[in-house]
Amino acid sequence: MRDLERFEKLLRARREEVLAELAELEEVYLGKNQQESAGDLSRYSTHPADMGSDEAMREAAFSRGEATSETIEEIDEALERIRTGEYGRCENCGADISDARLEVLPYARLCIKCQEALEKSEGGGAR
Ligand SMILES: [Zn+2]
């Protein structure tokens, strides 16, 4: 019998961390937006070298923010699976996912075998 309470705690703790990270990313992102909407373009022209790195930073923040939002969705779905009693079961083959794997990745959907098979098929034979 799996200790669901423990994994629910893990999931909630992870969710807090991810939300905090997302808030930080949004700060970077929204801070820049405010500057732009203020329409103070003359400030930009005095620092032409900064523009490229700002843009790169925003792009990085944006893609990280997207990945972070996806993680939150994964966590929410895992919490839902705890409620429905499906938590810790591989979505592909129905095997129990090991506690060790769930401790590292509490929102894992697949057992390690199916995950590896998936990565191989998606990896395009690079490995
Ligand atoms: Zn499996």
Side-chain angles (χ1 to χ4, degrees):
M1 190 66 190
R2 205 187 291 282
D3 187 356
L4 287 178
E5 241 176 72
R6 192 164 130 251
F7 287 109
E8 187 173 350
K9 269 185 199 159
L10 271 179
L11 281 163
R12 292 196 185 282
R14 185 69 68 93
R15 199 174 189 281
E16 296 278 305
E17 279 172 29
V18 173
L19 276 177
E21 196 188 335
L22 193 63
E24 263 176 47
L25 289 171
E26 273 174 1
E27 229 168 80
V28 173
Y29 206 65
L30 295 178
K32 296 294 173 190
N33 281 344
Q34 276 166 8
Q35 238 179 22
E36 266 182 10
S37 62
D40 190 5
L41 290 172
S42 61
R43 190 171 294 174
Y44 276 112
S45 60
T46 59
H47 302 287
D50 289 344
M51 273 190 74
S53 59
D54 277 3
E55 198 57 36
M57 247 182 73
R58 283 184 61 181
E59 238 164 72
F62 184 72
S63 61
R64 265 181 71 199
E66 278 202 322
T68 307
S69 306
E70 273 171 33
T71 304
I72 291 174
E73 273 173 39
E74 294 282 343
I75 291 171
D76 283 344
E77 282 173 28
L79 286 167
E80 183 62 29
R81 290 200 295 277
I82 285 181
R83 274 190 287 277
T84 59
E86 285 161 38
Y87 181 73
R89 198 176 301 153
C90 174
E91 283 187 355
N92 187 51
C93 71
D96 278 340
I97 302 172
S98 73
D99 280 8
R101 174 159 164 75
L102 289 173
E103 270 168 32
V104 178
L105 194 71
Y107 47 89
R109 301 163 168 278
L110 298 172
C111 71
I112 192 78
K113 275 185 198 167
C114 292
Q115 184 66 46
E116 277 174 4
L118 183 75
E119 276 167 16
K120 249 178 224 170
S121 68
E122 281 180 350
R127 271 194 297 174

